[in-house]
Amino acid sequence: MSEVTTIPVLPCVSMPETLAFYGALGFEVTHQQTTPNVYAATRRGDVHLHFMGLKRLDPREAYSTCLVLVPEVERLHETFSEGLRQAYGKVPVSGFPRISRMKKGQSRFTVVDVAGNSVIFIRRDAPDDDDEGAAGSSSRLGRALRAAARLRDFKNDDAAAAKVLDVALSRKEEADAPLERARALATRLELAVALGEEARARALRAELDEAPLSEEERAQIRPLLDTVDALQRSQR
């Protein structure tokens, strides 16, 4: 079975736009035709993706998905993001096309092309959804953070993740640990920036600035805020 190769064939509306998008990710076109049907083959290393023309395809209603197992994802995400920045003037994190955001330790990210196809790049040794969401605090805020992470990183649903955190953050309780609340605030801040909620982002940043954290605790939050800052720079 080691000689067996499986190649997904994904639909597209505009072949030139699709090939330009994947070209920005470093894929090369190995075959292209317009008759008897619109078809193209691309390749990036050992990853092969083929495309077929499909008229009247609406990217908002596309469900085609492909999983790609790779040795690592963080540097690959950086490479893809830079390629998209050069092609589109900024890193697209919403709409079509887009690339999902990446935080340190994350095991996967999603690329959504101009036709709405989702290609999910997963670190080969990554745990599955349930395993990755099982670790961490069992507190109310901890559970909300894990639920939001699953929605953001696995379902690619920022809006739903934001709602989960809004509900949790609205209930201030004495048992809430300041550091855990700060983590929830920082995570919600990133989502606010991604969703274009400028007023919400300012309010969250202000609350974070006033959070009763020690210097050591603020150092633990800093990587989350670095992710937010990088996202804001990518959108300029």
Side-chain angles (χ1 to χ4, degrees):
M1 294 294 290
S2 60
E3 297 180 358
V4 174
T5 300
T6 301
I7 301 175
V9 180
L10 304 174
C12 72
V13 177
S14 170
M15 189 64 75
E17 290 184 15
T18 294
L19 296 181
F21 173 77
Y22 284 95
L25 302 182
F27 283 78
E28 61 174 324
V29 179
T30 58
H31 173 75
Q32 186 175 1
Q33 66 183 45
T34 56
T35 58
N37 58 299
V38 177
Y39 194 92
T42 68
R43 176 179 181 178
R44 188 184 192 279
D46 293 330
V47 180
H48 297 258
L49 295 176
H50 289 196
F51 303 93
M52 63 177 182
L54 183 62
K55 295 180 179 179
R56 295 184 294 276
L57 173 66
D58 186 345
R60 295 169 298 180
E61 299 179 356
Y63 298 99
S64 301
T65 304
C66 172
L67 306 182
V68 182
L69 302 182
V70 293
E72 63 83 31
V73 290
E74 293 190 27
R75 284 176 297 173
L76 185 62
H77 185 275
E78 290 177 1
T79 299
F80 282 2
S81 295
E82 182 56 32
L84 293 173
R85 187 197 309 277
Q86 293 182 15
Y88 295 94
K90 64 178 182 179
V91 180
V93 295
S94 61
F96 302 94
R98 65 179 182 271
I99 183 170
S100 63
R101 301 180 307 286
M102 193 80 188
K103 61 180 182 291
K104 187 174 180 59
Q106 192 172 312
S107 64
R108 65 189 66 196
F109 67 89
T110 302
V111 167
V112 181
D113 67 21
V114 293
N117 299 306
S118 295
V119 183
I120 306 173
F121 293 84
I122 305 172
R123 196 179 69 230
R124 191 176 300 277
D125 62 350
D128 62 24
D129 186 330
D130 292 334
D131 287 342
E132 202 163 63
S137 170
S138 61
S139 69
R140 178 179 58 82
L141 284 174
R143 292 193 299 272
L145 278 166
R146 292 197 301 279
R150 287 193 292 272
L151 288 165
R152 172 199 180 279
D153 301 334
F154 292 86
K155 309 300 183 183
N156 204 23
D157 194 339
D158 287 345
K163 289 180 181 179
V164 167
L165 289 175
D166 281 339
V167 170
L169 288 168
S170 68
R171 296 169 51 197
K172 294 184 179 181
E173 299 178 3
E174 291 185 4
D176 291 344
L179 179 58
E180 196 161 48
R181 182 171 181 84
R183 287 197 179 101
L185 288 168
T187 302
R188 182 60 179 90
L189 172 59
E190 182 204 359
L191 291 165
V193 172
L195 293 167
E197 301 170 337
E198 296 182 5
R200 181 72 168 127
R202 288 193 295 271
L204 289 161
R205 178 78 75 164
E207 185 174 349
L208 267 171
D209 289 343
E210 296 298 323
L213 301 175
S214 67
E215 288 301 317
E216 182 179 351
E217 289 172 330
R218 288 201 177 275
Q220 294 182 51
I221 296 299
R222 187 66 250 173
L224 297 175
L225 296 179
D226 288 343
T227 298
V228 173
D229 293 340
L231 176 59
Q232 289 178 318
R233 289 193 298 270
S234 74
Q235 295 182 330
R236 293 170 185 163

